[in-house]
Amino acid sequence: MWETVRLWVREARHIAVLTGAGVSAESGVPTFRDAQTGLWARFNPQDLATESAYRANPQRVWDWYVYRREMIAAVSPNAGHEALAAFSQRHPGRMTLITQNVDGLHQRAGNTDALALHGSIAEDRWLDAPRVCCQVDKLEAGRPPRCRVCGNLRRPAVVWFGEHLPADALEAAEQAAHGCDLMLVVGTSGEVYPAAGLAFAAHQSGARVVIVNPEPTPLDVVAEHCLREPAAVCLPALLG
Ligand code: OAD
């Protein structure tokens, strides 16, 4: 099976790679839905990853993002991120990397043009549409920081439940899904749309789909092969 997938990688004209939290698990970043260690096993997403939760309790949600931001700043890309970055550098234009991860580890490994469907935890933006008074160099410090004139809050530049994905990144990801001949789906539970739908789009457009995940997922139905290994083992073996 491995040799077959390695051959598909060599032969593919264009490869789309869709990643999720599992690709960062071996860097020490917790996933969301793993039963024991996942963030959503310990925290309720409705309390921490929605706009209404932020408006109800901005300090609590801000502090949770600061905690994750600091944890992520202390870890490093792993062999999986590095294999993807090395492949893109060796084969310019042959791979589109689409990620649901907000941790920036693909970018730190060298995939600076990864399509970040769910934003970036390292960045902030305004909660409400900024007015003339809203200037990032004139913030009132606090948790969260706010405009010192009108009180508009800063918020993490991530996509929360119920929010739209960045239109440009989603459109480019959809184009890659429809245009690729091989899609690798790595370390995602396939539970969250529209990202999960990209695997179905690739399959419907005639691409081979290969899943890299130690556990079964709802996307397995469209996969030609499911490689039940950790990403940091699988990706160097497939792409090296
Ligand atoms: P999940 O936590 O839902 O799924 C992580 C997947 O990674 C699971 O299927 C695991 O089996 C798999 N996994 C764990 N360790 C792995 C490893 N070493 N190698 C490969 N796979 C491994 O994370 P996502 O699918 O990314 O949204 O979740 C999607 C979105 O839901 C996230 O982007 C986040 C979350 O709510 C936002 O923050 C908007």
mmCIF file of all heavy atoms in Angstrom, residues 78-111:
data_model
loop_
_atom_site.group_PDB
_atom_site.id
_atom_site.type_symbol
_atom_site.label_atom_id
_atom_site.label_comp_id
_atom_site.label_asym_id
_atom_site.label_seq_id
_atom_site.Cartn_x
_atom_site.Cartn_y
_atom_site.Cartn_z
ATOM 1 N N ASN A 78 7.117 19.518 13.370
ATOM 2 C CA ASN A 78 7.655 18.155 13.456
ATOM 3 C C ASN A 78 8.013 17.629 12.058
ATOM 4 O O ASN A 78 7.907 18.346 11.057
ATOM 5 C CB ASN A 78 6.663 17.243 14.204
ATOM 6 C CG ASN A 78 5.353 17.079 13.452
ATOM 7 O OD1 ASN A 78 5.340 16.799 12.255
ATOM 8 N ND2 ASN A 78 4.230 17.272 14.149
ATOM 9 N N ALA A 79 8.403 16.354 12.025
ATOM 10 C CA ALA A 79 8.872 15.771 10.759
ATOM 11 C C ALA A 79 7.793 15.772 9.679
ATOM 12 O O ALA A 79 8.115 15.795 8.482
ATOM 13 C CB ALA A 79 9.361 14.346 11.016
ATOM 14 N N GLY A 80 6.526 15.772 10.089
ATOM 15 C CA GLY A 80 5.435 15.834 9.112
ATOM 16 C C GLY A 80 5.357 17.192 8.441
ATOM 17 O O GLY A 80 5.302 17.298 7.203
ATOM 18 N N HIS A 81 5.367 18.263 9.255
ATOM 19 C CA HIS A 81 5.373 19.618 8.681
ATOM 20 C C HIS A 81 6.601 19.791 7.774
ATOM 21 O O HIS A 81 6.515 20.379 6.688
ATOM 22 C CB HIS A 81 5.470 20.691 9.775
ATOM 23 C CG HIS A 81 4.378 20.674 10.797
ATOM 24 N ND1 HIS A 81 4.559 20.242 12.064
ATOM 25 C CD2 HIS A 81 3.079 21.081 10.720
ATOM 26 C CE1 HIS A 81 3.429 20.371 12.752
ATOM 27 N NE2 HIS A 81 2.508 20.876 11.959
ATOM 28 N N GLU A 82 7.735 19.283 8.257
ATOM 29 C CA GLU A 82 8.980 19.504 7.506
ATOM 30 C C GLU A 82 8.974 18.759 6.176
ATOM 31 O O GLU A 82 9.471 19.267 5.164
ATOM 32 C CB GLU A 82 10.184 19.101 8.371
ATOM 33 C CG GLU A 82 10.517 20.223 9.355
ATOM 34 C CD GLU A 82 11.320 19.775 10.557
ATOM 35 O OE1 GLU A 82 11.797 18.624 10.573
ATOM 36 O OE2 GLU A 82 11.436 20.600 11.494
ATOM 37 N N ALA A 83 8.390 17.547 6.169
ATOM 38 C CA ALA A 83 8.339 16.788 4.910
ATOM 39 C C ALA A 83 7.481 17.522 3.880
ATOM 40 O O ALA A 83 7.814 17.563 2.689
ATOM 41 C CB ALA A 83 7.776 15.395 5.175
ATOM 42 N N LEU A 84 6.369 18.114 4.324
ATOM 43 C CA LEU A 84 5.504 18.867 3.398
ATOM 44 C C LEU A 84 6.241 20.092 2.853
ATOM 45 O O LEU A 84 6.183 20.389 1.655
ATOM 46 C CB LEU A 84 4.218 19.299 4.116
ATOM 47 C CG LEU A 84 3.219 18.174 4.408
ATOM 48 C CD1 LEU A 84 2.181 18.631 5.425
ATOM 49 C CD2 LEU A 84 2.534 17.714 3.123
ATOM 50 N N ALA A 85 6.935 20.795 3.761
ATOM 51 C CA ALA A 85 7.651 22.002 3.320
ATOM 52 C C ALA A 85 8.777 21.636 2.357
ATOM 53 O O ALA A 85 8.964 22.307 1.325
ATOM 54 C CB ALA A 85 8.203 22.742 4.539
ATOM 55 N N ALA A 86 9.498 20.555 2.649
ATOM 56 C CA ALA A 86 10.617 20.158 1.773
ATOM 57 C C ALA A 86 10.079 19.750 0.399
ATOM 58 O O ALA A 86 10.667 20.089 -0.641
ATOM 59 C CB ALA A 86 11.398 19.011 2.422
ATOM 60 N N PHE A 87 8.941 19.038 0.379
ATOM 61 C CA PHE A 87 8.363 18.624 -0.906
ATOM 62 C C PHE A 87 7.972 19.850 -1.726
ATOM 63 O O PHE A 87 8.267 19.934 -2.926
ATOM 64 C CB PHE A 87 7.145 17.719 -0.680
ATOM 65 C CG PHE A 87 6.595 17.128 -1.951
ATOM 66 C CD1 PHE A 87 7.035 15.893 -2.408
ATOM 67 C CD2 PHE A 87 5.650 17.815 -2.706
ATOM 68 C CE1 PHE A 87 6.550 15.349 -3.597
ATOM 69 C CE2 PHE A 87 5.156 17.289 -3.895
ATOM 70 C CZ PHE A 87 5.604 16.050 -4.335
ATOM 71 N N SER A 88 7.302 20.817 -1.083
ATOM 72 C CA SER A 88 6.888 22.012 -1.849
ATOM 73 C C SER A 88 8.097 22.767 -2.379
ATOM 74 O O SER A 88 8.044 23.345 -3.464
ATOM 75 C CB SER A 88 6.095 23.009 -1.012
ATOM 76 O OG SER A 88 5.303 22.418 -0.110
ATOM 77 N N GLN A 89 9.174 22.771 -1.600
ATOM 78 C CA GLN A 89 10.366 23.491 -2.085
ATOM 79 C C GLN A 89 11.031 22.752 -3.246
ATOM 80 O O GLN A 89 11.507 23.359 -4.191
ATOM 81 C CB GLN A 89 11.352 23.703 -0.931
ATOM 82 C CG GLN A 89 11.004 24.988 -0.161
ATOM 83 C CD GLN A 89 11.377 24.936 1.309
ATOM 84 O OE1 GLN A 89 12.269 24.176 1.704
ATOM 85 N NE2 GLN A 89 10.698 25.713 2.129
ATOM 86 N N ARG A 90 11.022 21.413 -3.167
ATOM 87 C CA ARG A 90 11.621 20.633 -4.260
ATOM 88 C C ARG A 90 10.758 20.655 -5.509
ATOM 89 O O ARG A 90 11.259 20.476 -6.620
ATOM 90 C CB ARG A 90 11.794 19.169 -3.826
ATOM 91 C CG ARG A 90 12.989 18.888 -2.942
ATOM 92 C CD ARG A 90 13.382 17.408 -2.981
ATOM 93 N NE ARG A 90 12.270 16.504 -2.804
ATOM 94 C CZ ARG A 90 11.746 16.153 -1.633
ATOM 95 N NH1 ARG A 90 12.231 16.670 -0.527
ATOM 96 N NH2 ARG A 90 10.747 15.297 -1.577
ATOM 97 N N HIS A 91 9.438 20.818 -5.334
ATOM 98 C CA HIS A 91 8.508 20.742 -6.480
ATOM 99 C C HIS A 91 7.638 21.984 -6.499
ATOM 100 O O HIS A 91 6.427 21.905 -6.215
ATOM 101 C CB HIS A 91 7.615 19.501 -6.356
ATOM 102 C CG HIS A 91 8.364 18.218 -6.252
ATOM 103 N ND1 HIS A 91 8.859 17.542 -7.343
ATOM 104 C CD2 HIS A 91 8.711 17.484 -5.172
ATOM 105 C CE1 HIS A 91 9.477 16.447 -6.944
ATOM 106 N NE2 HIS A 91 9.410 16.386 -5.634
ATOM 107 N N PRO A 92 8.188 23.145 -6.841
ATOM 108 C CA PRO A 92 7.393 24.377 -6.774
ATOM 109 C C PRO A 92 6.141 24.267 -7.651
ATOM 110 O O PRO A 92 6.215 23.778 -8.773
ATOM 111 C CB PRO A 92 8.352 25.455 -7.317
ATOM 112 C CG PRO A 92 9.705 24.832 -7.351
ATOM 113 C CD PRO A 92 9.537 23.342 -7.355
ATOM 114 N N GLY A 93 5.002 24.700 -7.083
ATOM 115 C CA GLY A 93 3.754 24.729 -7.850
ATOM 116 C C GLY A 93 3.044 23.403 -7.957
ATOM 117 O O GLY A 93 1.947 23.327 -8.521
ATOM 118 N N ARG A 94 3.610 22.313 -7.424
ATOM 119 C CA ARG A 94 2.951 21.003 -7.580
ATOM 120 C C ARG A 94 2.061 20.636 -6.413
ATOM 121 O O ARG A 94 1.329 19.659 -6.484
ATOM 122 C CB ARG A 94 4.010 19.909 -7.750
ATOM 123 C CG ARG A 94 4.051 19.334 -9.133
ATOM 124 C CD ARG A 94 5.032 18.192 -9.184
ATOM 125 N NE ARG A 94 4.429 16.924 -8.883
ATOM 126 C CZ ARG A 94 5.089 15.877 -8.413
ATOM 127 N NH1 ARG A 94 6.379 15.960 -8.152
ATOM 128 N NH2 ARG A 94 4.470 14.745 -8.188
ATOM 129 N N MET A 95 2.153 21.394 -5.312
ATOM 130 C CA MET A 95 1.361 21.051 -4.128
ATOM 131 C C MET A 95 0.623 22.277 -3.611
ATOM 132 O O MET A 95 1.192 23.364 -3.555
ATOM 133 C CB MET A 95 2.287 20.526 -3.022
ATOM 134 C CG MET A 95 1.560 20.238 -1.725
ATOM 135 S SD MET A 95 2.696 19.786 -0.399
ATOM 136 C CE MET A 95 3.043 18.098 -0.826
ATOM 137 N N THR A 96 -0.659 22.082 -3.272
ATOM 138 C CA THR A 96 -1.392 23.129 -2.536
ATOM 139 C C THR A 96 -1.647 22.598 -1.142
ATOM 140 O O THR A 96 -2.250 21.527 -0.987
ATOM 141 C CB THR A 96 -2.735 23.445 -3.221
ATOM 142 O OG1 THR A 96 -2.481 23.855 -4.568
ATOM 143 C CG2 THR A 96 -3.469 24.569 -2.487
ATOM 144 N N LEU A 97 -1.167 23.319 -0.156
ATOM 145 C CA LEU A 97 -1.358 22.898 1.234
ATOM 146 C C LEU A 97 -2.510 23.699 1.835
ATOM 147 O O LEU A 97 -2.473 24.937 1.866
ATOM 148 C CB LEU A 97 -0.067 23.120 2.026
ATOM 149 C CG LEU A 97 -0.130 22.765 3.507
ATOM 150 C CD1 LEU A 97 -0.574 21.325 3.745
ATOM 151 C CD2 LEU A 97 1.247 22.974 4.141
ATOM 152 N N ILE A 98 -3.520 22.972 2.266
ATOM 153 C CA ILE A 98 -4.726 23.579 2.850
ATOM 154 C C ILE A 98 -4.771 23.123 4.303
ATOM 155 O O ILE A 98 -4.732 21.921 4.567
ATOM 156 C CB ILE A 98 -5.989 23.054 2.126
ATOM 157 C CG1 ILE A 98 -5.875 23.226 0.603
ATOM 158 C CG2 ILE A 98 -7.246 23.723 2.673
ATOM 159 C CD1 ILE A 98 -6.803 22.309 -0.199
ATOM 160 N N THR A 99 -4.836 24.051 5.222
ATOM 161 C CA THR A 99 -4.849 23.623 6.625
ATOM 162 C C THR A 99 -6.006 24.235 7.399
ATOM 163 O O THR A 99 -6.389 25.377 7.158
ATOM 164 C CB THR A 99 -3.505 23.936 7.326
ATOM 165 O OG1 THR A 99 -3.531 23.309 8.621
ATOM 166 C CG2 THR A 99 -3.238 25.426 7.476
ATOM 167 N N GLN A 100 -6.527 23.442 8.320
ATOM 168 C CA GLN A 100 -7.521 23.952 9.280
ATOM 169 C C GLN A 100 -6.807 24.467 10.527
ATOM 170 O O GLN A 100 -7.440 25.009 11.424
ATOM 171 C CB GLN A 100 -8.481 22.832 9.686
ATOM 172 C CG GLN A 100 -9.276 22.262 8.533
ATOM 173 C CD GLN A 100 -9.928 20.938 8.922
ATOM 174 O OE1 GLN A 100 -11.009 20.917 9.497
ATOM 175 N NE2 GLN A 100 -9.276 19.847 8.614
ATOM 176 N N ASN A 101 -5.508 24.263 10.595
ATOM 177 C CA ASN A 101 -4.795 24.584 11.839
ATOM 178 C C ASN A 101 -4.500 26.077 11.922
ATOM 179 O O ASN A 101 -4.136 26.716 10.935
ATOM 180 C CB ASN A 101 -3.482 23.791 11.926
ATOM 181 C CG ASN A 101 -3.751 22.299 11.961
ATOM 182 O OD1 ASN A 101 -4.887 21.889 12.189
ATOM 183 N ND2 ASN A 101 -2.736 21.505 11.724
ATOM 184 N N VAL A 102 -4.633 26.585 13.128
ATOM 185 C CA VAL A 102 -4.378 28.008 13.366
ATOM 186 C C VAL A 102 -3.007 28.195 14.026
ATOM 187 O O VAL A 102 -2.631 29.307 14.377
ATOM 188 C CB VAL A 102 -5.478 28.622 14.270
ATOM 189 C CG1 VAL A 102 -6.838 28.553 13.594
ATOM 190 C CG2 VAL A 102 -5.541 27.943 15.643
ATOM 191 N N ASP A 103 -2.258 27.099 14.170
ATOM 192 C CA ASP A 103 -1.029 27.142 14.982
ATOM 193 C C ASP A 103 0.189 27.702 14.255
ATOM 194 O O ASP A 103 1.222 27.961 14.893
ATOM 195 C CB ASP A 103 -0.720 25.753 15.565
ATOM 196 C CG ASP A 103 -0.540 24.667 14.500
ATOM 197 O OD1 ASP A 103 -0.119 24.981 13.374
ATOM 198 O OD2 ASP A 103 -0.823 23.492 14.819
ATOM 199 N N GLY A 104 0.110 27.861 12.932
ATOM 200 C CA GLY A 104 1.226 28.452 12.187
ATOM 201 C C GLY A 104 2.424 27.531 12.030
ATOM 202 O O GLY A 104 3.474 27.953 11.528
ATOM 203 N N LEU A 105 2.298 26.239 12.378
ATOM 204 C CA LEU A 105 3.476 25.359 12.305
ATOM 205 C C LEU A 105 3.850 25.021 10.858
ATOM 206 O O LEU A 105 5.036 24.871 10.544
ATOM 207 C CB LEU A 105 3.257 24.092 13.134
ATOM 208 C CG LEU A 105 3.241 24.319 14.655
ATOM 209 C CD1 LEU A 105 2.915 23.025 15.395
ATOM 210 C CD2 LEU A 105 4.564 24.884 15.150
ATOM 211 N N HIS A 106 2.866 24.913 9.960
ATOM 212 C CA HIS A 106 3.219 24.707 8.545
ATOM 213 C C HIS A 106 4.031 25.898 8.037
ATOM 214 O O HIS A 106 5.027 25.739 7.324
ATOM 215 C CB HIS A 106 1.963 24.595 7.684
ATOM 216 C CG HIS A 106 1.254 23.283 7.787
ATOM 217 N ND1 HIS A 106 1.870 22.070 7.577
ATOM 218 C CD2 HIS A 106 -0.042 22.992 8.052
ATOM 219 C CE1 HIS A 106 0.983 21.094 7.702
ATOM 220 N NE2 HIS A 106 -0.189 21.629 8.000
ATOM 221 N N GLN A 107 3.569 27.097 8.397
ATOM 222 C CA GLN A 107 4.237 28.308 7.919
ATOM 223 C C GLN A 107 5.647 28.382 8.498
ATOM 224 O O GLN A 107 6.601 28.700 7.792
ATOM 225 C CB GLN A 107 3.413 29.541 8.315
ATOM 226 C CG GLN A 107 2.065 29.668 7.610
ATOM 227 C CD GLN A 107 0.934 28.845 8.236
ATOM 228 O OE1 GLN A 107 1.151 27.974 9.083
ATOM 229 N NE2 GLN A 107 -0.289 29.102 7.801
ATOM 230 N N ARG A 108 5.797 28.041 9.787
ATOM 231 C CA ARG A 108 7.131 28.073 10.406
ATOM 232 C C ARG A 108 8.055 27.029 9.788
ATOM 233 O O ARG A 108 9.267 27.214 9.732
ATOM 234 C CB ARG A 108 7.014 27.852 11.918
ATOM 235 C CG ARG A 108 6.641 29.142 12.653
ATOM 236 C CD ARG A 108 6.231 28.892 14.084
ATOM 237 N NE ARG A 108 7.248 28.247 14.882
ATOM 238 C CZ ARG A 108 7.038 27.718 16.096
ATOM 239 N NH1 ARG A 108 5.818 27.772 16.640
ATOM 240 N NH2 ARG A 108 8.008 27.178 16.765
ATOM 241 N N ALA A 109 7.485 25.907 9.302
ATOM 242 C CA ALA A 109 8.315 24.882 8.650
ATOM 243 C C ALA A 109 8.760 25.329 7.255
ATOM 244 O O ALA A 109 9.688 24.752 6.695
ATOM 245 C CB ALA A 109 7.543 23.569 8.558
ATOM 246 N N GLY A 110 8.062 26.339 6.679
ATOM 247 C CA GLY A 110 8.460 26.826 5.354
ATOM 248 C C GLY A 110 7.323 26.918 4.355
ATOM 249 O O GLY A 110 7.505 27.449 3.263
ATOM 250 N N ASN A 111 6.133 26.392 4.689
ATOM 251 C CA ASN A 111 4.977 26.517 3.780
ATOM 252 C C ASN A 111 4.285 27.854 4.024
ATOM 253 O O ASN A 111 3.151 27.909 4.527
ATOM 254 C CB ASN A 111 3.989 25.369 3.998
ATOM 255 C CG ASN A 111 4.400 24.097 3.290
ATOM 256 O OD1 ASN A 111 4.678 23.096 3.932
ATOM 257 N ND2 ASN A 111 4.463 24.144 1.973
#
